[in-house]
Amino acid sequence: MFLPTTLEEVKRMGWDALDVILVSGDSYIDSPYIGAAVIGKLLARAGYRVGIIAQPDVSGTDDIGRLGRPRLFWGVTAGSVDSMVANYTALKKKRRSDDYTPGGVNNRRPDRATIVYTNLIRRYTRQAKRCPPGHTESPQISQASALDPGVPNNPPPILLGGIEASLRRVAHYDYWDDALRRSVLFDAKADYLLYGMAEQAVLELAACLRDGRDPHDLRGLCYIAKEKRTGYLELPSYETVARDKQAFIEMFHTFYQNNDPLRGQGLCQKHGDRWLVQNPPAATETQAELDAVYALDFERAQHPYYEAQGPVRALDTIGFSIPTHRGCYGECNFCAIAVHEGRTVRWRSPESILAEAEALTRHPGFKGYIHDLGGPTANMYGFECEVKLSRGACSHKRCLYPAICPLLKIDHQPQIDLLRQVRRIPGVKKVFVASGIRYDMILCDRAHGDDYLRQVVAHHVSGQMKVAPEHTEEPVLAVMGKPGTGSLLEFKRRFDQLSQQVGRQQFLTYYLIAAHPGCSEYDMQRVKQFASQKLKIHPEQVQVFTPTPSTYATLMYYTETDPFSGEALFVEKDPRRKERQKTIVTDRPPRISPSGKGRP
Ligand code: SF4
């Protein structure tokens, strides 16, 4: 069942008011991959009356006011992707397409959507407060005000969530401003922010607001306070880090290290004469909680109100895919998953995944293909480090870099079993593993690594398998926190061998990054050489590095310093030279025609 998006739908449900209104930068796609849909349906299952306004028109308040005001709170998210990443390329050019917008044209998600939507709600609230029900200038708002619970001097609070808010929760470098920005809570002037995967926290917050209890102690919550909070670690102030890059490096280390649900402490950061308070991280979801999320009755379709405006391309990939787990301990320095989802992997039970796969076969649009069965890293399903589970992730070392930690007992058997069971379900023709695979983990698992790869090669790829070495030069790989080329070449050898054994002509596709901190044009020439000599390919999947908020690589980009050694680091900042780093690898040499045309 879809959540209501219009006044007529609210009335059809027999509701006289909404408890929660969610505002999202994505279209309303009712899918377990879309945060607003997950949060909305979880709240609805807990008994709250929830409506969704997706991609509101920001030119006026009619659209944001079309459902009236909620009784408990507004929830605001920029959507599945940070709005600046969604709207601009790595070279800061405007993107034309958006996979989460009806029709695919990038014309509905404003820059800094979290801030824009919050301002819009405040404007609407002020406007609705001035005009009694039935007397607003807009007929749409006038109608919706009939649903307004009417607490004129106490407007419902605004809660921020989603990846944009989560990664911008403390002072952070913003590539598009080329400057440090304050916590988004200050810029948006919202009341609360829930960071990370906030399903359980949002239920707790809703219960507090419903019961009139103070929510300020909830784990996973950020808020603004007049005073510093006793017992919390103090980060250098926004003003200090904005003028002192070394202080920003120290701030980021403290921020990153206090992201663990078992070890993380509360943090405070002064902004002007007020404080950003970040409570310790919420506990990771239990398996029962995860299973309950994915047992919700998602339609796996765009809501008809938005479908009428055009299809969304995102459904081509997420429509019939199944998430098996969350979190990643890969900690590649350019990736934000460790900060947003956490370093602890937690996974769904096989029963829950099989039930979802069986439900897919009954969906009218299902053609027999599960497009992905995976998570942030496909082969992290079903095992975790016991030390991490009992004491939290180590602060002084990483699980996979520079070498795989011996305490991480890698075991591909649970995933082998899962893949086997899913592909046996009647109605399932093929199950793809499209999520990235850590090949160093496969090589490390002497008991089951080869069997896992054999299963994947024989049943779960179609012609091409994507791998993400990201680079081939050891100094750049070290800056990225990625494994060396030795494991890549060994993996390629086994992949080719197994493909041959199962009688399939299959290839590896390599994802690479250009202009990452520490990478020069010379390094990219070496990548090209390595690709043609050792991998026997001409790479096409090369992306210019984007400094997204709250990653170590972004910290390196801004400070031009290796934050672990303190040494100066080369960083390419000129857009043309960044592009050249990419084209060094992707440009094919000019064809020489028999007449000699094209010869330099
Ligand atoms: S003991 Fe090893 S695998 Fe476990 S959290 Fe620490 S670094 Fe990671």
Side-chain angles (χ1 to χ4, degrees), residues 260 329 331 343 384-389 392-401 403-409:
D260 185 89
Y329 41 80
E331 290 187 273
R343 290 169 64 190
E384 241 305 356
C385 161
E386 291 300 326
V387 176
K388 194 192 294 177
L389 293 177
C394 295
S395 56
H396 59 289
K397 58 177 183 166
R398 294 185 170 195
C399 307
L400 300 185
Y401 187 84
I404 295 179
C405 173
L407 296 177
L408 181 69
K409 305 293 179 210

Side-chain angles (χ1 to χ4, degrees), residues 459-484:
H459 303 286
H460 303 290
V461 289
S462 68
Q464 288 185 20
M465 181 174 170
K466 296 176 219 149
V467 289
E470 310 296 5
H471 216 280
T472 62
E473 293 313 286
E474 296 297 331
V476 183
L477 288 168
V479 174
M480 292 176 163
K482 294 288 286 182

Side-chain angles (χ1 to χ4, degrees), residues 252-376:
F252 192 80
H253 283 315
T254 310
F255 167 71
Y256 191 89
Q257 291 302 341
N258 284 284
N259 201 36
D260 185 89
L262 293 183
R263 281 191 309 96
Q265 297 184 54
L267 304 174
C268 292
Q269 185 173 43
K270 202 168 187 202
H271 286 60
D273 59 359
R274 288 179 299 161
W275 293 84
L276 180 273
V277 178
Q278 175 182 307
N279 288 346
T284 46
E285 310 85 337
T286 63
Q287 190 171 78
E289 285 167 349
L290 267 187
D291 286 355
V293 167
Y294 294 99
L296 293 164
D297 61 334
F298 294 104
E299 297 281 345
R300 295 181 176 272
Q302 194 178 197
H303 186 284
Y305 179 87
Y306 297 98
E307 185 64 33
Q309 300 165 24
V312 277
R313 270 204 294 264
L315 275 171
D316 296 345
T317 46
I318 64 172
F320 297 111
S321 291
I322 301 181
T324 55
H325 58 284
R326 291 181 179 176
C328 182
Y329 41 80
E331 290 187 273
C332 303
N333 284 325
F334 48 79
C335 177
I337 289 175
V339 171
H340 184 59
E341 290 196 16
R343 290 169 64 190
T344 306
V345 170
R346 53 277 186 201
W347 56 94
R348 297 167 61 187
S349 67
E351 295 74 28
S352 157
I353 295 166
L354 292 172
E356 187 175 347
E358 277 162 16
L360 287 190
T361 64
R362 296 190 292 273
H363 192 285
F366 186 65
K367 305 263 187 320
Y369 298 96
I370 296 177
H371 296 131
D372 185 29
L373 190 85

Side-chain angles (χ1 to χ4, degrees), residues 444-513:
C444 183
D445 180 4
R446 292 185 195 281
H448 306 295
D450 261 0
D451 191 17
Y452 172 71
L453 186 56
R454 186 175 296 106
Q455 301 288 325
V456 172
V457 162
H459 303 286
H460 303 290
V461 289
S462 68
Q464 288 185 20
M465 181 174 170
K466 296 176 219 149
V467 289
E470 310 296 5
H471 216 280
T472 62
E473 293 313 286
E474 296 297 331
V476 183
L477 288 168
V479 174
M480 292 176 163
K482 294 288 286 182
T485 48
S487 52
L488 175 64
L489 292 174
E490 173 58 14
F491 176 76
K492 176 177 162 34
R493 189 187 68 74
R494 293 200 200 177
F495 176 86
D496 291 344
Q497 196 179 50
L498 287 168
S499 293
Q500 208 177 21
Q501 277 174 20
V502 300
R504 289 174 166 250
Q505 239 206 338
Q506 305 194 121
F507 307 95
L508 290 173
T509 309
Y510 304 87
Y511 281 69
L512 299 162
I513 297 178

Side-chain angles (χ1 to χ4, degrees), residues 221-242:
L221 184 85
C222 296
Y223 59 93
I224 295 170
K226 286 192 186 131
E227 306 288 337
K228 177 180 156 185
R229 187 153 171 169
T230 323
Y232 280 25
L233 293 174
E234 184 177 337
L235 299 174
S237 70
Y238 163 72
E239 288 74 16
T240 304
V241 296

Side-chain angles (χ1 to χ4, degrees), residues 14-266:
W15 294 346
D16 59 355
L18 287 167
D19 299 316
V20 178
I21 298 177
L22 301 178
V23 181
S24 171
D26 296 330
S27 180
Y28 174 18
I29 307 167
D30 200 54
S31 156
Y33 287 90
I34 300 294
V38 171
I39 296 293
K41 298 195 96 154
L42 262 183
L43 286 164
R45 194 184 56 192
Y48 300 97
R49 295 165 298 180
V50 186
I52 291 193
I53 299 176
Q55 301 188 316
D57 174 5
V58 297
S59 63
T61 53
D62 281 12
D63 209 16
I64 200 77
R66 71 181 196 232
L67 297 177
R69 276 188 299 177
R71 203 171 59 87
L72 295 180
F73 67 91
W74 296 88
V76 171
T77 170
S80 305
V81 185
D82 184 284
S83 56
M84 299 306 285
V85 179
N87 287 349
Y88 297 93
T89 67
L91 299 174
K92 301 190 184 179
K93 293 190 182 132
K94 185 85 181 159
R95 287 189 204 275
R96 288 203 213 113
S97 64
D98 185 330
D99 288 357
Y100 297 88
T101 295
V105 181
N106 184 21
N107 58 4
R108 296 295 299 267
R109 191 194 312 262
D111 291 356
R112 309 198 187 284
T114 304
I115 298 172
V116 171
Y117 294 155
T118 307
N119 286 340
L120 196 63
I121 292 168
R122 292 250 183 261
R123 246 172 78 202
Y124 160 67
T125 306
R126 278 197 301 274
Q127 192 180 328
K129 203 159 100 179
R130 278 200 304 272
C131 305
H135 291 81
T136 57
E137 282 163 21
S138 152
Q140 204 173 356
I141 293 180
S142 179
Q143 269 187 41
S145 64
L147 289 185
D148 198 312
V151 263
N153 294 318
N154 194 15
I158 302 176
L159 164 70
L160 309 182
I163 198 152
E164 178 167 295
S166 183
L167 298 181
R168 294 173 181 269
R169 61 189 186 259
V170 298
H172 57 280
Y173 173 69
D174 182 273
Y175 171 57
W176 300 272
D177 280 0
D178 191 20
L180 289 203
R181 286 184 72 102
R182 305 186 300 172
S183 161
V184 69
L185 255 182
F186 282 90
D187 284 347
K189 299 184 185 65
D191 300 280
Y192 307 112
L193 183 158
L194 283 176
Y195 64 94
M197 309 299 281
E199 288 114 324
Q200 304 311 314
V202 82
L203 288 171
E204 289 173 32
L205 181 81
C208 282
L209 297 174
R210 179 195 62 203
D211 302 342
R213 287 181 283 122
D214 182 357
H216 285 94
D217 285 341
L218 289 181
R219 294 183 75 102
L221 184 85
C222 296
Y223 59 93
I224 295 170
K226 286 192 186 131
E227 306 288 337
K228 177 180 156 185
R229 187 153 171 169
T230 323
Y232 280 25
L233 293 174
E234 184 177 337
L235 299 174
S237 70
Y238 163 72
E239 288 74 16
T240 304
V241 296
R243 64 169 181 268
D244 179 349
K245 288 185 175 172
Q246 189 53 41
F248 184 53
I249 290 173
E250 280 153 29
M251 182 217 96
F252 192 80
H253 283 315
T254 310
F255 167 71
Y256 191 89
Q257 291 302 341
N258 284 284
N259 201 36
D260 185 89
L262 293 183
R263 281 191 309 96
Q265 297 184 54

